[in-house]
């Protein structure tokens, strides 16, 4: 009936109104609906790894007797049984779940053995349920084993006419083995499949060591294992998922580049794909490659062929003659599903509530479930054994008094009276009396009597064993471990998915071979490294070889030998320190100038590296001795330079006009030798310098004259000799004993004769006769010679010519190198 304008609608008199706020009602209703979906549909149980629909399918098939040793039955019959008894939803939801349980490319260990078309990796759908047939697979029997022994809880079905299990016994960790995925309301789960043997090994490790960590468990469960194989690139995100319950994974197809002879002559290349990442549609992948080639987004592919057959997958990607197959493959990884990434979310129902769990927690809850299963099964077996023992005891008692028993039965009016007399005469229970009355006459033979006595002894032994299991938790764990190992031996298959290194995840240092290298740096800050073997030893007085080719007006200023994995600490003229690994210094050809240091270090304006010191990875104790141009020295413990940021740290506080010129590593009780440009040297103990913090100036090392500056500092060691080198290539060896020990702050002693012919003192090094020495001039020329070829003479002498310096050049750097076994003259 139409309602006129401004007229209120008529309401029947018996209508009742509820005072309800719509927002509150919608909120409560939605929460109830969401939890129903999450718990009853989309999220698997942590104990058996199944959603309700999968659990109902397996249980219904078991009830129908469609086990692995029975003939296949039509899927329509199975779906109808599941719908009619346990799962009141659409038939497609049940059949789709049944199909997935049978697909060996979807789950790692199929729980249904299907016959007919159950789909393919090309995305083909399964045939209609009226055409396909199925039965439980062999391993599915392990999911249902002992379900009839009251091992799980039961609940009423949708109309309370039948009962269904709330969880299956699951005698192997199905949640991890077969994985699960589902989208609930406000949450989602995505658990990848794993290898059965690896997961069982993980559970056994947890049994042996309940305090085991996730990282230790990863030794047994390293990563997912997909039924389609493929490659897993790196494990950093997987490790994160195992630790926290959330992470990711990068999967890549298994490929190989094949060379073959073309019919037109010459050698051609093609990419063969034999395994795909998990859940990648092969047909769509081939189509996407063809589309990318057509749109010219990927160059270098001439043809794509599908050659898969019953023996396995094979996709052939023909590469053009002028294309690089590896480049093409990398482009395919980038633009197609030959490489995919997916998230991992370990969300499962724990005690009926959705919860994110890590790897250890997942195995823990499964183990707790198995403890409950074994305890319930043992209690059930104990009760049945005790019941049978009770009956057998009555039968044995009756056989011992068989004549009297027969007489009581013969004289009784009916069964009830016979039972009453037997219970009264022999103190039997009602069950025992009925068992005696039901006993056949054949049981009266002597063999049957002996059989009952043996059975009674066996029952007593079993009952004692069952009670021992129930009273000893360690025996429960032993049984779980034993039965898991049996499942592993029976059903385990080799890992299908290979684990590969993802070079974006690893430390580049793990890929760098440890070797001795020479690191050289020019005055204007160009640095490079070379293997130390590049420098062959030569005879004294030679011209040397070109080791560095700086630009005009630049020259090599620093050279040192170190290992590729050592830390290089760069000290600058402004008293700051930076740190990088030696392998981070780019390797360059012998005649190139290298790379600008500003590309490696975050140097400030007008900041220049003046000292470089290598520290091995295990040098965590000791001191750094720092000497400045104006004669200051400071000792700072090396642990104060740990974790140096990219922006560097303050190493020493400097006076105006001062610069840091040398840094040495000391052990705590060393002696130091410091040289000035005028040729004076002072030797004093490290103890004369007290330890200070980084942001301090230090104390005076030696007294300098006007215009004089400190040029070098070195640490004295036993049996060493002093090598002094002047500007114009003159040098000599001198015993260290000629430099007497003094107190810090003096003027020192003469280190040699330095005049216009020799030039000023440039470097002072402590060496041994077996060392090799490298000298480098400001024009980039280097010479390497053995220390024993340098004359050994007294301190107050000029020395001998070690290197011919061209034109107005001069020696600027001296370094020691490890002796090279082969000796040959090399000129360039």
């Amino acid at each position: 009936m139409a309602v006129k304008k401004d007229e209120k609608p008529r309401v029947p008199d018996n209508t009742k109104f509820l005072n309800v706020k719509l927002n509150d009602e919608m909120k409560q209703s939605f929460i109830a609906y969401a939890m129903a979906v999450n718990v009853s549909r989309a999220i698997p149980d942590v104990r058996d790894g199944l959603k309700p629909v999968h659990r109902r399918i397996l249980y219904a098939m078991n009830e129908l007797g469609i086990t692995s040793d029975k003939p296949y039955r039509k899927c329509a019959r199975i779906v109808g049984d599941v719908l009619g008894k346990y799962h009141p939803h659409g038939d497609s939801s049940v059949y789709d779940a049944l199909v997935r349980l049978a697909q060996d490319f979807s789950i790692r260990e199929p729980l249904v053995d299907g016959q007919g078309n159950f789909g393919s990796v090309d995305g083909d759908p399964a045939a209609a349920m009226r055409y396909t047939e199925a039965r439980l697979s062999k391993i599915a029997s392990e999911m249902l084993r002992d379900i009839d022994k009251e091992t799980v809880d039961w609940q009423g079905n949708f109309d309370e006419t039948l009962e269904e299990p709330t969880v299956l016994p699951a005698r192997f960790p199905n949640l991890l083995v077969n994985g699960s995925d589902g989208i609930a309301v406000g949450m989602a789960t995505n658990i990848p499949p794993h290898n059965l043997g690896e997961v069982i090994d993980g559970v056994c490790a947890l049994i042996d060591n309940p305090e085991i960590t996730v990282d230790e468990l990863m030794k047994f469960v390293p990563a997912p294992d997909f039924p389609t194989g493929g490659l897993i690139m790196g494990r950093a995100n997987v490790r994160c998922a195992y630790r926290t319950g959330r992470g990711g994974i990068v999967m890549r197809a298994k490929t190989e580049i094949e060379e073959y002879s073309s019919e037109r002559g010459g050698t051609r290349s093609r990419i063969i794909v034999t395994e795909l990442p998990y859940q990648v549609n092969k047909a769509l992948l081939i189509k996407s490659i063809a589309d990318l080639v057509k749109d010219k987004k990927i160059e270098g592919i001439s043809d794509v062929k599908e050659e898969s057959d019953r023996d396995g997958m094979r996709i052939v990607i023909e590469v053009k003659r002028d294309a690089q197959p590896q480049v093409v493959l990398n482009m395919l990884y980038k633009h197609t599903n030959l490489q995919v990434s997916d998230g991992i979310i370990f969300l499962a129902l724990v005690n009926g509530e959705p919860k994110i769990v890590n790897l250890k927690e997942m195995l823990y809850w499964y183990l707790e479930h198995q403890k409950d299963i074994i305890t319930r099964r043992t209690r059930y077996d104990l009760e049945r054994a005790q019941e049978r023992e009770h009956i057998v005891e009555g039968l044995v008692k009756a056989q011992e008094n068989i004549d009297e028993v027969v007489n009581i039965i013969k004289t009784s009016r009916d069964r009830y009276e016979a039972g009453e007399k037997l219970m009264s005469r022999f103190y039997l229970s009602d069950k025992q009396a009925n068992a005696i009355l039901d006993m056949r006459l054949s049981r009266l033979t002597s063999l049957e009597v002996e059989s009952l006595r043996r059975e009674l002894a066996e029952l007593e032994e079993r009952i004692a064993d069952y009670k021992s299991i129930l009273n000893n938790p360690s025996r429960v764990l032993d049984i779980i471990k034993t039965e898991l190992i049996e499942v592993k031996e029976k059903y385990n298959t080799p890992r299908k998915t290979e684990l590969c290194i993802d070079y974006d995840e690893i430390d580049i240092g793990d890929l760098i071979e440890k070797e001795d290298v020479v690191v050289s740096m020019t005055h204007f800050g160009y640095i490079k490294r070379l293997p130390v073997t590049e420098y062959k030893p030569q005879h004294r007085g030679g011209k040397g070889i070109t080791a560095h080719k700086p630009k005009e007006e630049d020259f090599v200023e620093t050279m040192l030998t170190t290992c590729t994995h050592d830390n290089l600490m760069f000290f600058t003229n402004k008293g700051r320190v930076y740190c990088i690994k030696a392998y981070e210094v780019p390797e360059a050809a012998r005649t190139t100038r290298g790379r600008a240091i500003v590309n490696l270090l975050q140097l400030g304006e007008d900041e220049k590296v003046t000292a470089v010191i290598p520290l091995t990875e295990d040098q965590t104790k000791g001191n750094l001795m720092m000497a400045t141009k104006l004669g200051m020295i400071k000792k700072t413990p090396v642990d104060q330079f740990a974790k140096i940021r990219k922006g560097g740290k303050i190493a020493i506080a400097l006076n105006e006009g001062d610069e840091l010129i040398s840094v040495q590593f000391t052990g705590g009780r060393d002696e130091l030798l410091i040289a000035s440009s005028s040729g004076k040297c002072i030797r004093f103990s490290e103890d004369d310098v007290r330890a200070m913090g980084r942001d301090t100036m230090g104390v005076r090392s030696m007294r300098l004259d006007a215009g004089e500056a400190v040029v070098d500092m070195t640490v004295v060691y036993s049996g060493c000799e002093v090598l002094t080198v002047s500007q114009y290539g003159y040098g000599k060896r001198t015993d260290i004993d000629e430099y007497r020990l003094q107190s810090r702050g003096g003027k020192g002693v003469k280190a040699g004769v330095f005049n216009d012919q020799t030039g000023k003192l440039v470097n002072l090094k402590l060496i041994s006769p077996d060392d090799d020495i490298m000298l480098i001039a400001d024009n980039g020329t280097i010479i390497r010679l053995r220390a024993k070829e340098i004359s050994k003479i007294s301190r107050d002498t000029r020395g001998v010519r070690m290197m011919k310096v061209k034109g107005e050049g001069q020696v600027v750097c001296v370094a020691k190198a490890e002796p090279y076994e082969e000796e040959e003259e090399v000129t360039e």
Side-chain angles (χ1 to χ4, degrees):
M1 181 177 67
V3 179
K4 297 181 180 180
K5 187 176 181 180
D6 299 329
E7 182 182 351
K8 294 183 179 180
R10 296 180 62 186
V11 180
D13 296 336
N14 59 350
T15 302
K16 295 181 179 180
F17 292 95
L18 296 176
N19 187 15
V20 177
K21 292 184 178 181
L22 184 59
N23 288 341
D24 294 342
E25 182 65 24
M26 290 293 293
K27 187 181 298 183
Q28 293 175 4
S29 299
F30 182 77
I31 291 174
Y33 164 75
M35 287 306 298
V37 170
N38 295 351
V39 174
S40 303
R41 193 177 302 181
I43 301 176
D45 195 293
V46 73
R47 297 170 291 178
D48 62 2
L50 297 174
K51 300 176 185 179
V53 63
H54 301 119
R55 190 178 300 117
R56 289 163 177 167
I57 289 171
L58 296 181
Y59 177 68
M61 293 179 71
N62 187 63
E63 286 294 290
L64 287 170
I66 317 175
T67 54
S68 60
D69 56 343
K70 301 294 174 52
Y72 294 93
R73 300 282 287 274
K74 284 288 185 182
C75 289
R77 169 68 188 276
I78 299 171
V79 171
D81 217 55
V82 174
L83 289 177
K85 292 181 177 180
Y86 309 112
H87 198 71
H89 297 277
D91 59 348
S92 61
S93 64
V94 177
Y95 186 53
D96 290 345
L98 173 65
V99 166
R100 190 176 189 279
L101 290 176
Q103 291 177 337
D104 57 2
F105 53 86
S106 292
I107 63 176
R108 190 63 177 80
E109 301 293 339
L111 300 178
V112 171
D113 178 11
Q115 180 172 267
N117 175 17
F118 278 81
S120 70
V121 292
D122 286 326
D124 299 321
M129 67 180 79
R130 62 182 180 273
Y131 298 118
T132 57
E133 298 178 339
R135 62 183 178 185
L136 290 175
S137 65
K138 290 182 179 180
I139 198 171
S141 62
E142 303 296 336
M143 293 290 295
L144 295 151
R145 182 157 57 118
D146 301 327
I147 195 173
D148 57 345
K149 292 186 176 183
E150 300 177 359
T151 52
V152 296
D153 293 332
W154 297 76
Q155 65 184 9
N157 67 341
F158 59 88
D159 60 1
E160 298 293 336
T161 58
L162 296 170
E163 285 194 331
E164 60 176 319
T166 59
V167 67
L168 296 187
R171 306 315 308 279
F172 67 91
N174 179 64
L175 181 59
L176 271 177
V177 171
N178 281 326
S180 182
D181 61 86
I183 301 174
V185 180
M187 57 187 69
T189 183
N190 192 13
I191 303 171
H194 291 72
N195 183 269
L196 174 68
E198 293 175 352
V199 176
I200 288 178
D201 289 341
V203 178
C204 294
L206 181 61
I207 293 173
D208 295 336
N209 177 19
E211 303 300 322
I212 193 171
T213 65
V214 173
D215 289 341
E216 290 171 337
L217 277 173
M218 287 188 66
K219 297 177 182 177
F220 305 95
V221 188
D225 185 24
F226 298 104
T228 54
L231 309 175
I232 293 177
M233 305 304 297
R235 293 193 295 162
N237 290 332
V238 175
R239 187 178 295 109
C240 179
Y242 285 167
R243 288 174 178 168
T244 66
R246 290 182 179 272
I249 190 169
V250 177
M251 297 167 284
R252 181 177 285 186
K254 191 172 185 180
T255 62
E256 59 178 319
I257 297 174
E258 184 180 275
E259 304 286 340
Y260 68 99
S261 298
S262 173
E263 296 179 356
R264 299 179 180 179
T267 302
R268 298 286 295 275
S269 300
R270 56 190 174 195
I271 300 169
I272 310 297
V273 181
T274 55
E275 295 175 4
L276 290 180
Y278 184 51
Q279 292 184 330
V280 168
N281 187 309
K282 177 161 62 72
L284 292 180
L285 171 68
I286 295 174
K287 183 178 183 300
S288 68
I289 295 175
D291 290 342
L292 289 169
V293 174
K294 181 181 179 181
D295 296 339
K296 297 185 178 181
K297 292 183 179 180
I298 295 182
E299 303 286 347
I301 296 178
S302 60
D303 194 12
V304 181
K305 301 177 182 176
E306 160 69 296
E307 297 183 358
S308 303
D309 54 24
R310 65 179 61 189
D311 296 326
M313 182 182 298
R314 181 180 169 89
I315 303 172
V316 180
I317 302 171
E318 300 284 350
V319 180
K320 292 181 180 179
R321 189 185 302 274
D322 57 345
Q324 293 291 331
Q326 189 60 54
V327 174
V328 174
L329 183 57
N330 290 339
M331 292 294 292
L332 290 171
Y333 286 146
K334 180 178 180 180
H335 295 288
T336 71
N337 282 343
L338 283 183
Q339 177 173 307
V340 297
S341 58
D342 196 10
I344 297 176
I345 306 173
F346 285 159
L347 177 70
L349 295 178
V350 179
N351 295 326
E353 296 181 0
K355 184 178 178 182
I356 296 287
V357 293
N358 62 24
L359 177 63
K360 181 179 178 179
E361 291 171 337
M362 193 177 294
L363 297 181
Y364 167 80
W365 288 113
Y366 171 77
L367 188 57
E368 290 298 304
H369 176 55
Q370 291 306 302
K371 289 179 184 178
D372 186 51
I373 294 296
I374 297 300
T375 301
R376 287 187 171 203
R377 184 186 71 181
T378 305
R379 191 179 295 120
Y380 177 88
D381 290 338
L382 174 62
E383 291 173 358
R384 298 301 174 272
Q386 288 174 332
E387 290 176 0
R388 179 59 184 169
E389 180 192 38
H390 183 65
I391 298 298
V392 173
E393 284 176 345
L395 294 176
V396 171
K397 189 178 292 187
Q399 288 177 334
E400 290 174 348
N401 303 275
I402 191 62
D403 293 337
E404 188 175 356
V405 168
V406 170
N407 185 49
I408 289 174
I409 295 173
K410 288 173 63 178
T411 59
S412 297
R413 186 174 64 251
D414 54 21
R415 180 186 178 94
Y416 176 76
E417 182 181 347
E420 289 291 326
K421 289 181 178 180
L422 288 173
M423 287 189 288
S424 175
R425 172 67 184 84
F426 298 109
Y427 304 101
L428 301 175
S429 67
D430 184 60
K431 290 183 178 180
Q432 288 175 322
N434 285 324
I436 292 171
L437 293 173
D438 291 337
M439 184 173 61
R440 295 180 180 180
L441 292 176
S442 62
R443 302 296 296 273
L444 300 179
T445 64
S446 59
L447 289 177
E448 286 295 326
V449 173
E450 186 62 30
S451 173
L452 285 174
R453 288 175 177 167
R454 285 198 307 270
E455 183 182 359
L456 183 61
E458 291 175 359
L459 286 169
E460 291 174 348
E461 184 178 348
R462 283 165 51 194
I463 289 170
D465 185 54
Y466 292 148
K467 289 181 177 180
S468 173
I469 292 171
L470 293 174
N471 294 327
N472 192 347
S474 63
R475 286 208 60 194
V476 175
L477 292 175
D478 290 340
I479 292 172
I480 295 172
K481 186 174 180 180
T482 301
E483 294 185 354
L484 281 173
I485 292 174
E486 290 175 357
V487 171
K488 175 185 173 182
E489 293 175 348
K490 190 173 182 181
Y491 300 105
N492 187 39
T493 55
R495 167 173 274 275
K496 294 183 177 181
T497 305
E498 296 182 18
L499 304 179
C500 295
I501 296 174
D502 187 351
Y503 293 100
D504 293 334
E505 292 181 356
I506 64 174
D507 184 354
I508 189 66
D510 297 334
L511 308 176
I512 303 297
E513 181 182 359
K514 289 188 176 182
E515 63 173 344
D516 291 333
V517 292
V518 175
V519 176
S520 59
M521 190 170 66
T522 71
H523 178 74
F524 288 127
Y526 287 90
I527 189 170
K528 71 174 182 178
R529 64 179 167 92
L530 278 169
V532 73
T533 52
E534 287 286 323
Y535 302 101
K536 305 282 182 75
Q538 302 172 43
H539 296 292
R540 177 176 62 84
K543 291 183 178 181
I545 63 174
T546 300
H548 222 116
K549 191 175 182 180
K551 60 183 181 180
E552 291 184 13
E553 299 180 357
D554 195 8
F555 57 89
V556 174
E557 192 172 53
T558 303
M559 176 173 287
L560 55 90
T561 57
T562 185
C563 174
T564 48
H565 283 248
D566 288 348
N567 292 313
L568 292 182
M569 303 184 73
F570 294 82
F571 294 83
T572 69
N573 58 333
K574 293 190 176 182
R576 295 185 65 82
V577 58
Y578 304 81
C579 184
I580 61 174
K581 289 286 187 181
Y583 60 72
E584 293 184 64
V585 177
E587 186 172 1
R590 184 163 48 82
T591 57
T592 59
R593 67 180 181 180
R595 189 175 181 184
I597 191 67
V598 293
N599 293 327
L600 304 179
L601 308 177
Q602 295 181 5
L603 299 178
E605 188 177 358
D606 298 328
E607 192 173 13
K608 178 184 176 184
V609 174
T610 57
V612 184
I613 181 169
L615 285 180
T616 60
E617 294 174 303
D618 58 353
Q619 280 181 304
T620 57
K621 296 183 180 180
N623 302 309
L624 288 177
M625 304 296 299
M626 287 166 271
T628 73
K629 179 180 178 181
L630 299 183
M632 302 299 289
I633 189 168
K634 188 180 80 164
K635 177 169 70 175
T636 303
V638 72
D639 59 8
Q640 293 199 22
F641 295 91
K643 297 181 181 179
I644 298 176
R645 300 183 299 271
K646 290 186 177 181
K649 282 186 176 181
I650 294 176
I652 185 174
L654 299 173
N655 289 318
E656 186 177 355
D658 201 0
E659 293 182 358
L660 182 64
I661 57 100
S662 180
V663 181
Q664 296 291 335
F665 180 85
T666 61
R669 294 187 177 274
D670 292 323
E671 294 178 358
L672 301 169
L673 193 63
I674 297 179
S676 70
S677 57
S678 63
K680 296 291 184 65
C681 269
I682 185 170
R683 176 183 177 184
F684 59 86
S685 173
E686 179 186 354
D687 292 335
D688 290 350
V689 184
R690 63 183 177 86
M692 303 180 185
R694 289 186 296 105
D695 196 8
T696 55
M697 290 189 298
V699 294
R700 186 192 298 273
S701 62
M702 68 185 301
R703 189 177 299 113
L704 301 175
D705 294 332
E708 191 178 7
V710 173
V711 295
D712 212 345
M713 174 180 67
T714 186
V715 179
V716 177
Y717 60 90
S718 177
C720 66
E721 297 174 343
V722 179
L723 173 68
T724 56
V725 181
S726 68
Q727 281 179 293
Y728 303 132
Y730 286 83
K732 65 178 184 298
R733 289 186 296 144
T734 306
D735 284 330
I736 185 63
D737 295 336
E738 294 195 32
Y739 296 83
R740 61 184 174 86
L741 188 64
Q742 298 177 264
S743 297
R744 177 185 58 81
K747 290 185 68 70
V749 298
K750 290 180 65 176
V753 175
F754 298 94
N755 50 35
D756 293 340
Q757 183 179 4
T758 62
K760 293 182 179 181
L761 180 63
V762 174
N763 277 115
L764 179 144
K765 291 287 182 287
L766 295 183
I767 62 172
S768 64
D770 295 329
D771 286 336
D772 280 4
I773 306 300
M774 289 188 288
L775 278 70
I776 193 160
D778 56 6
N779 59 7
T781 301
I782 185 173
I783 184 170
R784 176 172 179 159
L785 48 90
R786 297 197 185 279
K788 61 186 177 182
E789 296 181 353
I790 304 171
S791 299
K792 182 177 180 180
I793 50 182
S794 63
R795 176 170 53 83
D796 194 12
T797 56
R798 183 183 67 176
V800 298
R801 184 184 292 275
M802 298 173 60
M803 183 179 187
K804 295 177 182 178
V805 182
K806 298 178 181 179
E808 297 180 356
Q810 59 182 11
V811 176
V812 292
C813 184
V814 181
K816 290 194 299 183
E818 293 295 325
Y820 190 74
E821 295 180 0
E822 182 184 3
E823 181 174 343
E824 62 180 17
E825 178 101 8
V826 179
T827 59
E828 185 172 301

